[in-house]
Amino acid sequence: MESECVSVLPRVCEALTAPGRSLPDDTSLEKLLDWFTSLTEAGVSLLEACPCLLEFISTVGYNSSPDPSILSFTLKLTGLIAANEDSFQVLQEKPVLDLVFNVQHWQGAGLWEDPSVRIGWTWGLRTMLQHSKALSYFVEADFIEPLLQLQTDTSLFVASAANQTLAHMLISCQTVSSENRRMVTDQEHPTSTVETDKDSCAFVTTISEYLKKLLVPKENSELRQSQQVLKLLALLLAQVSSALREKLLLTVAESLEELVATEYSQLTLPLMDVILAAHSCDSDKCVPDQRITHLLSFMLNKRKPADLIHAAAAFLHSGYKDPVHTAQSARILLLPLHIVTGFHLLDTNIIDEHRVSMTDQLLNKTSCITMICVSLTNILQIAQMAPAFLPCPLGLIVSAVLSLLRLCNGNFSPSSAGCMKISRNVTRSGKVLKCALEALSALGNSSEVRVMLVEVFTLLINYLDNPDCEPTVLQKSYQVLVKWLSVCTDLSSITDQLRKDLIQVVRKRACDTRWEVRDSTVEFLGHLAGVRACQTSAGEVCNVSEDLLGGCCFSTPLLKDALRDSESYVRASAVSSLAQTLARSWQQGAALTQEQTEIVTQLLEILSQDTEGFARRAVVQYFTTWFFSCSSPTYISSLLMQSVCSVLSLGSTDLDWEVKVHTLKLAGLLLDHAFSGYPTYTKVLETHPTKLSPYVLMSSQTCALDTHTETHTEHVESDLVSVLNTLVEWGVISVLLSSLFDCDRPVALKACQLLIRLRDTVCPLSPSAQDATVALATDTKVSCELSGGGWAQEIRNILREKNQSQKEMSKQRSLDGADMLDFEGCGEAGMEHVMAESHTVCVSVCEVLRSLDLDEKLAILTQSSDHIHNSPLSLLQDILTASTTHTHPNLQPDQEVIVDCY
């Protein structure tokens, strides 16, 4: 612990306990507690390192009316200190524990009504219960009753904290008992061991009886109490040992059976959580299988329809592979779809038991929508089931979902008149519509339903063509269409008329008055271009976009027009979709068309003139994708390289930090490209395929074959100089250096990482003998220009200081008789230019890379700003300042000091 913090802490404790003082922000106390926690985790004894804390706790305990937030903090701090056995002994002897955790004392003072105090008491106890002495103290102090009362506290936060504390205590009991059994085996402290085991058993028995007593509500007002008890029971069953789990279940089994029979809808999901937690331990043979199975069967058979739906969904989401209940849950979830659409998804004999009651429930519009949505959202779980569990083929489920989508659109064609009233409940329901589209998307994964592509295709085009369709529904329809097209590789069944319909509706939606629709349409064109291979009616294999829309001939003009859209989101989506659309031609090295050349001009205009950052970011990513897609140097056109240089120049000076980060990613790609094959270079993007550069360095394999070391060194030196000069010409070096001094930390961090890679490749700090020769030759042959202001001036200052230091060292070595070293990589004349305040100077790239202390800068940039602004000393000083400020209420508003918060 820092000595400065130790010296300041007593004053902070005094300020916190001073009457009439309060903090403007409770988070300062939470941060202080976090600091103390980190110290204890590091093995520091708080009482030994900070003796003032004992006096602080005593002062708060004896105070009849402390601030609730400070009292809550004190309770948590006391528990933290008492988690250590030695410190616990000290606190108990004072006696601070009895003073601070006395519930009756704080109730009498009127402070127990504050939820923060109850939470502080609860979490303090939980933190303290780390050893057997603390558990014994808890039982002897009769804290069980107040902790149990807090399980159903009016504050959800308090009840949740109490639940977790009780679960922690039960787990601690079994841990302590296990340790004690080992101690008895070793014949150590047998008397205390028996007492501790006795306390643990008493505690477990008390908890079990409490749960049994409060599980079943006597009236509706006690439902919330039962919910909390069920949450606690589920938490315990999921975490405790098999022996303790069995004891709990045997105690509460009768209450659970009674509760299941009451059919309280509010308790359905909490009940299922408990039953499923018990069901999960069947493999351990720790509970009576028949009782748990009986409860589960009851939940999936004898409940009200809405409860059945939720119980079935909970079972499927649990992931258990119980053949009987899995198939039963699937039938229950498909029953609403069976009734509403009239499709016979289930055998009549199976569904007669629930059909009448569920039909009555579906006649109510609110219940109908809820039950149908639950059914649809679980279609994915049903589709993933083993065929043996499915009540009907998946193709029939797809047909039912398509029928439901038609009903949502107002197309009534139920197979029975009894479904008409229910069908009207789902008409124009946006909630049902979106759930049905999600279900249709999930069903597209199965190979057996791909024969239904034409039917799905037709329905989705009708939705896209519907003038009354909401933007979110249109977006979802586009997504489902792409999903089905991406898994159905055979498009031979798609008729020419359907292709024409799709082209017509896309062209219409691209000009929609609503920008959300235009944006979804533009995104669809890009996503469709990303769907690769498909089989056409002629048996050929081609891109899906080409087969359905005609490829670039159709998409590119629409996307090019969208670049001028009035909405920035649409412009950004158009740029991204253009990159996806043209990526294939880039990979194949196709010649650029006049249209693509015009697009480049528009994109550079967006990067330099667009007022919104979304589109500018997309432009930088477009050129990154283009460069990445060129799998061979012959595919890199002069237009691309000219554009990349412009993008680096514009992107590095953008006002949006994300644009600058994307620009640096492009710069990293250029480094990968330039140094491809160089043995000591670490690629920035490891997933990039190896691309040979026109300035590629000799590979390590080639180097191994060269028997003439001197010739090899000359080659590497020549290649290295060529690569560095090229990077300077492209503007990569200037971009990296300027970004290193950027005010946005992510930008500077990325630039620093790239510069370190560059430095370690061309001028390593500890080179081998051969690399040293190359690096020394490179030092004086590659230079870059530094302008007169900003980041360049900072570099010039660094070089000036470095030069002065080296001159002094050289003089000293000369006096000592040592040989003088020519360290100044850019030469004496070059350094004189740096010393002078000229407008532009040329300096050695390697000298700059060595002089910037990049490793130290990287360490600083990777640190969070909290290491300065939220340091423990800063926090303590803030608390002192804030408490002083609040002691003098006459301070002007502009004089008030606000404590740092998270």
Side-chain angles (χ1 to χ4, degrees):
M1 185 186 297
E2 297 178 8
S3 58
E4 290 180 283
C5 294
V6 174
S7 63
V8 174
L9 189 58
R11 287 190 290 141
V12 171
C13 291
E14 182 182 352
L16 293 176
T17 56
R21 293 190 183 186
S22 62
L23 294 174
D25 194 337
D26 292 344
T27 55
S28 58
L29 294 176
E30 293 298 326
K31 292 166 67 177
L32 186 57
L33 190 67
D34 288 343
W35 177 51
F36 286 139
T37 302
S38 65
L39 290 175
T40 57
E41 290 174 349
V44 175
S45 172
L46 291 180
L47 286 187
E48 292 179 5
C50 315
C52 60
L53 292 179
L54 184 59
E55 183 180 354
F56 166 76
I57 294 172
S58 300
T59 303
V60 174
Y62 282 111
N63 191 344
S64 59
S65 57
D67 183 274
S69 62
I70 293 177
L71 175 56
S72 179
F73 164 76
T74 305
L75 287 163
K76 294 175 182 177
L77 175 62
T78 305
L80 181 65
I81 294 174
N84 176 275
E85 281 196 63
D86 294 335
S87 299
F88 173 87
Q89 191 72 29
V90 174
L91 292 175
Q92 194 175 31
E93 290 172 356
K94 285 305 178 180
V96 174
L97 288 178
D98 293 335
L99 180 68
V100 172
F101 285 106
N102 190 329
V103 175
Q104 289 75 21
H105 173 62
W106 302 124
Q107 286 175 336
L111 291 167
W112 192 249
E113 300 302 317
D114 193 299
S116 67
V117 174
R118 302 198 298 275
I119 285 182
W121 185 85
T122 303
W123 282 111
L125 287 177
R126 175 180 176 177
T127 309
M128 177 177 65
L129 290 165
Q130 305 295 329
H131 46 84
S132 58
K133 291 181 180 178
L135 178 62
S136 299
Y137 168 74
F138 179 89
V139 175
E140 292 169 4
D142 291 328
F143 286 153
I144 295 180
E145 190 61 31
L147 183 60
L148 292 176
Q149 291 173 358
L150 292 180
Q151 305 300 312
T152 55
D153 195 89
T154 54
S155 167
L156 290 176
F157 293 104
V158 175
S160 176
N163 273 356
Q164 295 179 48
T165 300
L166 201 54
H168 170 77
M169 291 183 65
L170 280 172
I171 294 170
S172 299
C173 283
Q174 61 190 19
T175 303
V176 169
S177 297
S178 299
E179 291 176 352
N180 287 341
R181 281 191 289 272
R182 288 196 298 270
M183 291 171 66
V184 169
T185 303
D186 297 337
Q187 296 183 350
E188 295 180 8
H189 312 293
T191 305
S192 61
T193 298
V194 171
E195 289 298 321
T196 304
D197 277 341
K198 182 179 178 181
D199 290 337
S200 299
C201 292
F203 182 72
V204 171
T205 301
T206 302
I207 298 302
S208 302
E209 290 299 325
Y210 165 82
L211 294 174
K212 176 182 178 180
K213 177 182 176 182
L214 296 183
L215 264 177
V216 184
K218 303 299 186 294
E219 52 189 24
N220 287 339
S221 60
E222 296 179 353
L223 278 175
R224 188 173 173 278
Q225 172 181 281
S226 295
Q227 286 177 325
Q228 290 300 116
V229 173
L230 285 169
K231 287 181 181 178
L232 173 60
L233 184 56
L235 185 66
L236 292 174
L237 291 174
Q239 296 187 23
V240 297
S241 65
S242 57
L244 184 52
R245 185 191 298 119
E246 183 177 5
K247 182 174 183 178
L248 284 171
L249 284 172
L250 289 174
T251 304
V252 303
E254 291 183 3
S255 295
L256 282 175
E257 291 177 352
E258 183 180 352
L259 188 59
V260 166
T262 59
E263 294 193 0
Y264 283 112
S265 296
Q266 301 94 320
L267 301 181
T268 297
L269 291 180
L271 260 172
M272 283 299 295
D273 289 339
V274 170
I275 293 171
L276 291 172
H279 192 269
S280 68
C281 68
D282 281 351
S283 58
D284 298 334
K285 306 299 182 183
C286 60
V287 293
D289 294 349
Q290 292 182 350
R291 286 190 117 165
I292 298 303
T293 302
H294 171 71
L295 289 175
L296 185 56
S297 298
F298 198 102
M299 294 293 292
L300 295 174
N301 276 292
K302 306 298 183 182
R303 309 286 287 180
K304 292 180 287 189
D307 298 340
L308 282 173
I309 292 287
H310 288 294
F315 181 83
L316 285 189
H317 279 278
S318 69
Y320 299 133
K321 304 301 181 183
D322 180 336
V324 175
H325 294 110
T326 299
Q328 187 177 9
S329 297
R331 291 195 298 270
I332 291 170
L333 287 166
L334 289 176
L335 184 54
L337 200 58
H338 173 106
I339 296 172
V340 172
T341 63
F343 271 83
H344 294 286
L345 304 177
L346 308 169
D347 292 339
T348 305
N349 295 334
I350 295 177
I351 64 171
D352 279 345
E353 183 181 1
H354 300 300
R355 181 184 181 111
V356 175
S357 59
M358 190 165 287
T359 300
D360 292 339
Q361 193 80 37
L362 290 170
L363 288 171
N364 179 281
K365 184 171 184 177
T366 302
S367 299
C368 178
I369 291 175
T370 300
M371 293 170 68
I372 284 290
C373 287
V374 173
S375 175
L376 291 169
T377 52
N378 285 276
I379 289 294
L380 177 60
Q381 275 70 35
I382 295 175
Q384 292 174 340
M385 288 167 49
F389 298 156
L390 283 173
C392 65
L394 281 178
L396 198 56
I397 299 177
V398 174
S399 297
V401 173
L402 291 174
S403 176
L404 183 63
L405 283 167
R406 295 187 188 99
L407 290 176
C408 290
N409 213 15
N411 183 8
F412 291 97
S413 57
S415 59
S416 65
C419 298
M420 186 65 71
K421 290 183 179 179
I422 298 176
S423 299
R424 289 198 178 98
N425 287 336
V426 300
T427 305
R428 311 301 178 194
S429 170
K431 189 174 181 181
V432 173
L433 184 54
K434 292 167 189 174
C435 288
L437 287 170
E438 288 283 0
L440 186 59
S441 179
L443 289 164
N445 287 324
S446 176
S447 58
E448 63 185 273
V449 301
R450 294 174 186 175
V451 294
M452 305 185 69
L453 174 62
V454 172
E455 192 176 352
V456 172
F457 198 96
T458 303
L459 181 135
L460 291 174
I461 289 179
N462 289 335
Y463 262 96
L464 292 170
D465 197 35
N466 186 350
D468 299 325
C469 219
E470 296 179 0
T472 52
V473 174
L474 285 167
Q475 181 187 39
K476 187 65 66 178
S477 299
Y478 277 131
Q479 292 170 351
V480 177
L481 185 56
V482 171
K483 174 67 177 296
W484 273 73
L485 290 171
S486 64
V487 296
C488 299
T489 56
D490 185 359
L491 302 185
S492 58
S493 57
I494 303 296
T495 64
D496 291 339
Q497 185 58 50
L498 284 175
R499 287 176 169 81
K500 291 178 182 178
D501 292 341
L502 179 61
I503 289 173
Q504 182 179 356
V505 73
V506 169
R507 183 176 283 118
K508 181 177 74 171
R509 290 304 186 185
C511 302
D512 200 285
T513 55
R514 297 164 294 181
W515 73 263
E516 298 94 337
V517 176
R518 300 196 303 275
D519 188 54
S520 297
T521 305
V522 166
E523 284 184 336
F524 167 71
L525 291 174
H527 292 156
L528 197 64
V531 180
R532 293 303 179 193
C534 71
Q535 186 175 344
T536 67
S537 56
E540 301 173 349
V541 176
C542 70
N543 181 270
V544 173
S545 179
E546 291 177 2
D547 182 59
L548 295 179
L549 299 176
C552 296
C553 297
F554 173 79
S555 301
T556 306
L558 286 180
L559 296 174
K560 185 180 175 184
D561 290 340
L563 293 177
R564 295 189 174 88
D565 197 278
S566 58
E567 175 56 50
S568 63
Y569 288 107
V570 181
R571 297 195 298 273
S573 296
V575 175
S576 300
S577 294
L578 273 170
Q580 291 173 287
T581 301
L582 299 175
R584 194 179 184 196
S585 64
W586 295 335
Q587 291 168 353
Q588 296 172 344
L592 295 179
T593 64
Q594 179 62 32
E595 188 174 45
Q596 292 179 19
T597 304
E598 293 172 358
I599 288 172
V600 170
T601 303
Q602 283 186 258
L603 294 179
L604 293 177
E605 288 177 1
I606 290 175
L607 185 57
S608 61
Q609 299 174 16
D610 203 296
T611 57
E612 298 291 341
F614 304 107
R616 301 200 304 274
R617 292 172 209 159
V619 169
V620 179
Q621 290 173 303
Y622 175 96
F623 286 100
T624 301
T625 303
W626 186 1
F627 196 92
F628 173 66
S629 299
C630 296
S631 56
S632 153
T634 58
Y635 293 169
I636 301 178
S637 64
S638 59
L639 177 61
L640 173 57
M641 289 314 305
Q642 292 171 10
S643 302
V644 164
C645 294
S646 299
V647 171
L648 290 176
S649 176
L650 293 169
S652 62
T653 57
D654 199 279
L655 296 178
D656 187 304
W657 71 268
E658 291 188 65
V659 173
K660 289 185 283 190
V661 168
H662 286 307
T663 303
L664 288 172
K665 290 179 181 178
L666 177 58
L669 193 59
L670 289 169
L671 288 178
D672 286 352
H673 176 79
F675 289 108
S676 176
Y678 193 64
T680 62
Y681 178 74
T682 304
K683 295 183 72 174
V684 177
L685 300 174
E686 295 293 344
T687 55
H688 285 171
T690 302
K691 294 185 286 292
L692 297 178
S693 167
Y695 310 98
V696 64
L697 296 176
M698 191 172 297
S699 68
S700 55
Q701 290 83 356
T702 305
C703 294
L705 296 174
D706 195 337
T707 57
H708 302 287
T709 305
E710 183 177 352
T711 305
H712 162 62
T713 303
E714 292 175 357
H715 285 169
V716 174
E717 174 194 328
S718 175
D719 287 336
L720 194 59
V721 170
S722 177
V723 168
L724 274 180
N725 278 323
T726 302
L727 291 174
V728 171
E729 292 172 9
W730 287 346
V732 173
I733 304 299
S734 296
V735 167
L736 296 181
L737 291 176
S738 63
S739 300
L740 181 66
F741 296 93
D742 197 275
C743 58
D744 290 305
R745 190 163 66 99
V747 179
L749 176 60
K750 182 68 177 176
C752 189
Q753 292 167 337
L754 293 175
L755 284 168
I756 288 176
R757 280 191 175 92
L758 179 63
R759 180 202 65 191
D760 292 347
T761 302
V762 300
C763 47
L765 296 178
S766 300
S768 63
Q770 181 175 308
D771 289 339
T773 305
V774 176
L776 185 61
T778 307
D779 275 359
T780 57
K781 291 184 178 180
V782 184
S783 60
C784 63
E785 291 186 349
L786 296 180
S787 58
W791 62 270
Q793 186 59 51
E794 290 195 49
I795 294 178
R796 293 166 70 171
N797 292 338
I798 292 172
L799 292 175
R800 181 187 299 113
E801 293 174 4
K802 194 85 170 180
N803 182 61
Q804 294 284 10
S805 174
Q806 293 301 322
K807 281 187 175 181
E808 292 176 3
M809 290 175 59
S810 297
K811 289 179 181 178
Q812 184 62 41
R813 288 176 181 176
S814 178
L815 291 175
D816 294 340
D819 294 331
M820 289 192 62
L821 297 178
D822 184 14
F823 185 84
E824 299 164 6
C826 50
E828 186 68 27
M831 292 309 299
E832 289 300 328
H833 279 299
V834 174
M835 295 287 287
E837 296 294 337
S838 59
H839 182 69
T840 302
V841 296
C842 289
V843 295
S844 165
V845 172
C846 287
E847 177 64 19
V848 171
L849 291 175
R850 288 199 191 97
S851 303
L852 289 178
D853 294 327
L854 293 172
D855 295 312
E856 180 181 349
K857 193 167 184 65
L858 180 65
I860 295 173
L861 289 170
T862 50
Q863 283 184 316
S864 167
S865 58
D866 286 355
H867 80 282
I868 296 175
H869 299 293
N870 287 336
S871 65
L873 182 60
S874 171
L875 173 63
L876 296 174
Q877 291 171 339
D878 282 343
I879 293 175
L880 284 176
T881 305
S883 62
T884 303
T885 302
H886 278 251
T887 308
H888 304 284
N890 295 327
L891 283 175
Q892 296 298 321
D894 60 345
Q895 294 176 287
E896 185 174 351
V897 178
I898 302 299
V899 179
D900 287 343
C901 62
Y902 288 115

